[in-house]
C-alpha cells in the first residue's frame, strides 16, 4: 500500500534521504500499536495521574514540538526518533479531540467533519505545492512538514471518528474496531485486487488505523461498565509501549546492520 515515487526529482538544495520508514507489515503493526497506546496513554496521563486534560495537552504538546524539531533536523529516517514522534502525535491528537469534546462541548459529529475537511485542505495544498502526496518521497523540508501536519490531523480525525462510532452512536468499542478493521481489509483488497491508486489507499488506511487502534485500546482499557475488558489504561499503555520498543529496536538494529560500513 505504498505510493509510487514521483518522476520529478527533489530540489538539490534541499535533497535528503526519504524520512519515512519502508511501508511493510511491520510499519502497519507499529502504527496500530502507536494508535492504541496513544488512546490509553492520553487517558492515563489525564485522569490516573491527575494532570487533567489541559495540563496533559500542554506538556505533551511541548514535548511533541521538541521531538518534531529534532526529527526535522535529521537527514535520514531514524526509526527510534520517527516512531517516538508518531507516538507523541498519537497522544496529542487524542488529547486535542478530547479537549474539544469534554472541555468545549464540541460535538463529535462536528469535530469529525472539521478534521475531515482540514485533512482534504492539507492534501490539496500539499499537492498544489509539491505535485505528489507520495510517502516514498518525503525528501525535502517542505514535504516533511506537510507530512507531519497531515499525520497530526489524521490522528485527531481518527480519534473523533472512533469516539463518534463507539460512544456518540453507542456502537461500542468492539463493533467499532470490527467496522474499521473491515474497512482496512477492503482497502487492502482494493489495492491488491483492483490495483487502486496506491497513494490514495495508503492515506485511507493510515486514517482508518487510528480509530481501529483507538477502539482496541478503549476495548482493552475501559471498565466492563463502559463496555471494555477492564485491563486499565496503565496496563495497556505499558504492554503496548514494550511491544513498540521491541519492534522499533529490532528495526533500528536491522537498519544499522544493513548500512554499508
Amino acid at each position: 500500500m505504498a505510493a509510487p515515487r514521483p518522476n520529478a526529482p527533489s530540489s538539490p538544495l534541499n535533497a535528503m534521504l526519504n524520512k519515512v520508514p519502508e511501508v511493510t507489515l511491520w510499519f502497519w503493526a507499529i502504527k496500530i500499536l502507536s494508535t492504541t497506546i496513544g488512546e490509553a496513554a492520553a487517558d492515563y496521563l489525564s485522569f490516573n495521574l491527575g494532570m487533567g486534560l489541559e495540563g496533559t495537552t500542554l506538556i505533551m504538546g511541548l514535548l511533541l514540538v521538541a521531538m518534531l524539531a529534532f526529527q526535522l533536523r535529521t537527514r535520514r529516517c531514524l526509526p527510534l526518533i520517527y516512531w517516538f514522534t508518531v507516538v507523541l502525535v498519537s497522544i496529542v491528537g487524542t488529547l486535542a479531540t478530547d479537549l474539544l469534546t469534554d472541555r468545549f462541548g464540541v460535538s463529535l459529529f462536528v469535530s469529525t467533519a472539521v478534521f475531515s475537511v482540514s485533512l482534504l485542505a492539507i492534501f490539496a495544498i500539499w499537492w498544489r505545492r509539491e505535485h505528489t502526496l507520495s510517502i516514498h518521497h518525503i525528501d525535502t523540508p517542505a514535504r516533511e512538514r506537510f507530512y507531519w501536519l497531515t499525520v497530526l490531523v489524521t490522528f485527531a480525525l481518527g480519534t473523533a471518528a472512533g469516539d463518534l462510532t463507539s460512544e456518540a452512536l453507542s456502537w461500542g468499542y468492539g463493533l467499532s474496531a470490527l467496522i474499521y478493521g473491515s474497512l482496512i481489509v477492503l482497502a487492502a483488497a482494493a489495492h491488491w485486487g483492483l490495483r487502486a491508486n496506491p497513494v490514495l489507499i495508503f492515506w485511507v488506511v493510515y486514517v482508518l488505523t487510528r480509530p481501529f487502534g483507538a477502539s482496541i485500546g478503549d476495548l482493552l482499557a475501559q471498565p466492563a461498565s463502559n463496555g471494555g475488558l477492564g485491563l486499565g489504561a496503565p496496563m495497556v499503555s505499558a504492554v503496548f509501549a514494550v511491544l513498540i520498543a521491541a519492534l522499533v529496536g529490532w528495526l533500528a538494529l536491522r537498519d544499522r546492520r544493513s548500512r554499508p560500513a
Side-chain angles (χ1 to χ4, degrees), residues 38-39 42-43 89-99 155-156 159 210:
E39 187 75 17
D43 290 342
V89 170
S90 177
I91 295 173
V92 172
T94 301
L95 291 168
T97 300
D98 289 347
L99 199 61
F155 273 91
T159 301
R210 172 54 186 169

Side-chain angles (χ1 to χ4, degrees), residues 213-229:
S215 296
I216 291 177
D218 281 333
L219 178 65
L220 294 172
Q222 292 294 324
S225 58
N226 291 344
L229 299 179

Side-chain angles (χ1 to χ4, degrees), residues 119-231:
L119 183 60
L120 292 175
I122 293 170
F123 278 140
I125 297 170
W126 185 357
W127 174 263
R128 184 180 178 89
R129 288 280 306 273
E130 301 296 326
H131 307 293
T132 178
L133 303 178
S134 172
I135 49 82
H136 285 309
H137 233 256
I138 308 300
D139 52 6
T140 70
R143 289 177 183 178
E144 189 176 14
R145 287 192 289 269
F146 274 121
Y147 173 78
W148 285 109
L149 178 60
T150 303
V151 168
L152 179 59
V153 175
T154 63
F155 273 91
L157 169 59
T159 301
D163 289 347
L164 174 64
T165 56
S166 61
E167 298 175 8
L169 295 178
S170 301
W171 292 356
Y173 304 121
L175 180 57
S176 291
L178 179 61
I179 290 171
Y180 290 116
S182 298
L183 291 174
I184 292 171
V185 171
L186 288 176
H191 172 68
W192 295 112
L194 302 177
R195 302 299 180 185
N197 184 287
V199 178
L200 173 63
I201 294 299
F202 172 84
W203 285 113
V204 166
V205 174
Y206 201 93
V207 171
L208 289 172
T209 49
R210 172 54 186 169
F212 174 67
S215 296
I216 291 177
D218 281 333
L219 178 65
L220 294 172
Q222 292 294 324
S225 58
N226 291 344
L229 299 179
L231 298 180

Side-chain angles (χ1 to χ4, degrees), residues 64-131:
L64 173 59
V65 169
M67 283 305 303
L68 273 175
F70 187 63
Q71 164 69 25
L72 291 170
R73 287 176 63 88
T74 62
R75 304 301 296 175
R76 61 187 301 274
C77 181
L78 303 175
L80 292 173
I81 302 302
Y82 175 87
W83 286 113
F84 185 43
T85 305
V86 170
V87 170
L88 288 174
V89 170
S90 177
I91 295 173
V92 172
T94 301
L95 291 168
T97 300
D98 289 347
L99 199 61
L100 288 173
T101 304
D102 298 341
R103 292 293 184 267
F104 297 100
V106 177
S107 165
L108 287 168
F109 291 93
V110 173
S111 57
T112 300
V114 169
F115 286 133
S116 297
V117 172
S118 299
L119 183 60
L120 292 175
I122 293 170
F123 278 140
I125 297 170
W126 185 357
W127 174 263
R128 184 180 178 89
R129 288 280 306 273
E130 301 296 326
H131 307 293

Side-chain angles (χ1 to χ4, degrees), residues 37 55 62 77 100 158 244:
I37 195 176
L62 291 174
C77 181
L100 288 173
I244 291 174

